[in-house]
Amino acid sequence: MNKKTKTWVISGVAAIAILGGGGYYFANSYMGNNVDIEQVLPASTAASTTDAGTGTAVANEAASTEQLNGDWTISEGSKVYFSVTTSQETVNFVDEQVSGTWAIHVDDASQMKAEGQIEMSGIDSGNGQRDGHVKEADFFDVSTHPQATFTATSFEGMPAEWTAGQTVDFKMNGTLTVKGVEKEVTFDAKAAYENGQVLLSATTTVTFEDFGMENPHSVVLSTENDIQVQLELKLDK
């Protein structure tokens, strides 16, 4: 092997080592899901419950318009999740710093209004290295854009009658703003009235590209462009 060939071989090995090391660093930063998504809606949606005294089945009561209509505020225990899928697994991020309101008018959905926001510094995946990375300028740029917001503009399929403890399905249209970029989205939503609270679960899908970001990837690990956004909210009057 001549000197020139030997130099190229050594350079190639060094490049592979650098790429491999960088790839390992990236993979190590982004692998490992540590967050489970917690649902707020009741596990059972049976049409009846059992009377504790008699043991007989009784029908769930309808929630009255007076109980449902009015201004509701996002309360403690509410969470917003972001989920991304890598070539290895799906990784969930959670943010518990959630605030907002929902003006409910089940008898006239056109009067409904809702808005909410999260503090982006609260994003947590259980991996400090990964969380620090997604908060940097290349991604959510939290220091410049500390909040993400959603403003609902319309509700489709909202039933006028709710049964206590039962879920209702509808669509929630509005504007999601992240990094100062507005994106029109539709959430597939479910809600229930239970024990004096309104519980809301809703999902939509956006992309890194929608907000001027590039999905993370390397020679050893890639991330899909889609980001699933999931609301798990508890609201009090």
Side-chain angles (χ1 to χ4, degrees):
M1 182 183 295
N2 60 41
K3 184 176 181 180
K4 185 176 181 180
T5 301
K6 187 176 181 179
T7 300
W8 276 106
V9 170
I10 293 172
S11 298
V13 170
I16 291 170
I18 292 169
L19 285 171
Y24 173 78
Y25 173 81
F26 176 90
N28 190 51
S29 297
Y30 276 86
M31 287 181 65
N33 179 51
N34 305 307
V35 174
D36 293 325
I37 296 177
E38 300 176 1
Q39 305 279 342
V40 297
L41 291 173
S44 174
T45 57
S48 62
T49 57
T50 301
D51 184 278
T54 64
T56 58
V58 293
N60 288 349
E61 295 182 356
S64 69
T65 301
E66 183 178 8
Q67 288 174 313
L68 294 171
N69 284 357
D71 295 330
W72 295 81
T73 301
I74 295 174
S75 62
E76 185 178 355
S78 296
K79 299 176 182 180
V80 173
Y81 295 91
F82 301 92
S83 300
V84 296
T85 300
T86 72
S87 51
Q88 299 294 323
E89 63 197 336
T90 295
V91 175
N92 302 320
F93 296 76
V94 63
D95 197 322
E96 300 184 42
Q97 297 182 33
V98 191
S99 59
T101 58
W102 184 10
I104 296 180
H105 297 274
V106 292
D107 46 345
D108 185 359
S110 66
Q111 294 187 46
M112 283 196 183
K113 298 179 181 179
E115 59 183 12
Q117 64 182 28
I118 62 171
E119 300 299 323
M120 297 298 284
S121 61
I123 294 175
D124 180 18
S125 70
N127 180 324
Q129 188 178 55
R130 178 168 56 200
D131 297 340
H133 193 194
V134 301
K135 294 174 186 178
E136 292 176 353
D138 287 348
F139 294 100
F140 290 121
D141 195 7
V142 172
S143 62
T144 306
H145 303 282
Q147 298 171 335
T149 64
F150 174 72
T151 303
T153 54
S154 65
F155 296 81
E156 299 177 19
M158 177 67 71
E161 295 184 359
W162 298 21
T163 300
Q166 302 292 299
T167 59
V168 295
D169 299 319
F170 58 96
K171 292 186 181 296
M172 183 168 59
N173 306 308
T175 304
L176 180 64
T177 304
V178 179
K179 293 186 69 175
V181 179
E182 296 182 350
K183 169 69 176 176
E184 298 303 311
V185 298
T186 297
F187 280 92
D188 293 316
K190 294 178 180 291
Y193 176 80
E194 185 173 71
N195 299 324
Q197 283 190 315
V198 168
L199 309 176
L200 173 69
S201 178
T203 60
T204 193
T205 300
V206 296
T207 68
F208 283 94
E209 188 177 19
D210 286 335
F211 301 102
M213 299 180 286
E214 185 176 348
N215 51 311
H217 59 276
S218 75
V219 294
V220 295
L221 187 71
S222 60
T223 304
E224 293 181 5
N225 195 31
D226 287 348
I227 304 172
Q228 178 174 287
V229 182
Q230 183 162 339
L231 314 179
E232 295 293 337
L233 308 179
K234 299 179 179 181
L235 299 101
D236 292 314
K237 263 190 178 179

